[in-house]
Structures are given as structure tokens and as C-alpha cells.
Amino acid sequence: YLQIVDDFKKYIELGVYKYNDKLPSVRKLAIEMGINPNTIQRAYQMLESEGYITTIEKKGVYVSYQKDDEKGLLKDKVKKEITIIKQSNISKEELLQLVEEVYNDRN
């Protein structure tokens, strides 16, 4: 499982798998690799604990790792959108409430 973890880290850091890409299911990957699903599950758990992936119940496993430059671009986009929202007379409290709804929905 450690080899799988190292391989996935490498692929994610090199951009083979990008932020928000869906990864194969545990079962599908185990069949493709010809190994026990528990091995894949253990590797996915380690990757998740290290912040490389996120599991969304009933939806799948997604890449959550972003390079710093990707985060910077995303933050710039968010700032522009917030400026538009502010100019649309949506209050800070309303915006924060929306943010809370989105973040609570994902957990």
C-alpha cells in the first residue's frame, strides 16, 4: 500500500491527477491492479489523512491537493467573485452564511 501511496502522490504532484479529478473506486482499482481491495482502501486512507484526496460519501474519491500557484489563481478568482457579490448589495453576513452552507454540505 505504501508503493500505491507514493505513486499517487507523485502523479498528483506532477499534475497527472489534478485538483478535483475523480479517482477510481477502491473496487475498480483493486481489480485493475489485481490486488486486495483492503490494500487500496488503506492507501486511500493514508492519502486522505495527508490531504491529497477527499472522499465524498456516495460520490467518490477526489483529488484535494493543489499546487501553491493553483491556489493563488483560485484565490484571485474568488476575490473577483466576492467583489461582484459586494457590488450586488449582498451583505457580508449573507455571504458568510452561504459559505457556511457550502462547507457544511461537504462534510
Side-chain angles (χ1 to χ4, degrees), residues 6 11 16 19 34 44 47 51 58 61 64 77 84:
D6 289 341
Y11 295 144
V16 175
Y19 176 75
Y44 274 9
L47 288 165
K58 297 184 182 177
V61 179
S64 59
K77 286 181 183 179
I84 292 169

Side-chain angles (χ1 to χ4, degrees), residues 11-24:
Y11 295 144
I12 291 169
E13 289 170 0
L14 290 173
V16 175
Y17 291 114
K18 294 179 179 24
Y19 176 75
N20 222 19
D21 280 354
K22 185 173 182 177
L23 297 179

Side-chain angles (χ1 to χ4, degrees), residues 6-99:
D6 289 341
D7 287 346
F8 269 98
K9 282 182 184 179
K10 179 174 63 180
Y11 295 144
I12 291 169
E13 289 170 0
L14 290 173
V16 175
Y17 291 114
K18 294 179 179 24
Y19 176 75
N20 222 19
D21 280 354
K22 185 173 182 177
L23 297 179
S25 69
V26 169
R27 181 175 291 152
K28 183 177 180 181
L29 193 56
I31 291 169
E32 286 176 12
M33 297 180 82
I35 59 177
N36 190 311
N38 291 334
T39 305
I40 302 296
Q41 183 63 40
R42 192 167 179 188
Y44 274 9
Q45 285 172 343
M46 182 172 261
L47 288 165
E48 189 161 15
S49 71
E50 293 182 19
Y52 282 86
I53 63 172
T54 301
T55 302
I56 301 174
E57 196 171 325
K58 297 184 182 177
K59 295 212 179 221
V61 179
Y62 294 85
V63 176
S64 59
Y65 174 86
Q66 283 183 307
K67 293 180 181 178
D68 288 337
D69 57 333
E70 290 173 340
K71 284 183 182 179
L73 291 173
L74 184 58
K75 286 180 180 180
D76 288 343
K77 286 181 183 179
V78 170
K79 283 181 182 180
K80 287 178 185 174
E81 291 298 321
I82 291 172
T83 302
I84 292 169
I85 291 168
K86 183 179 176 184
Q87 292 169 348
S88 299
N89 293 323
I90 293 177
S91 72
K92 180 179 175 181
E93 290 75 21
E94 289 173 305
L95 178 60
L96 290 173
Q97 183 180 359
L98 291 171
V99 170

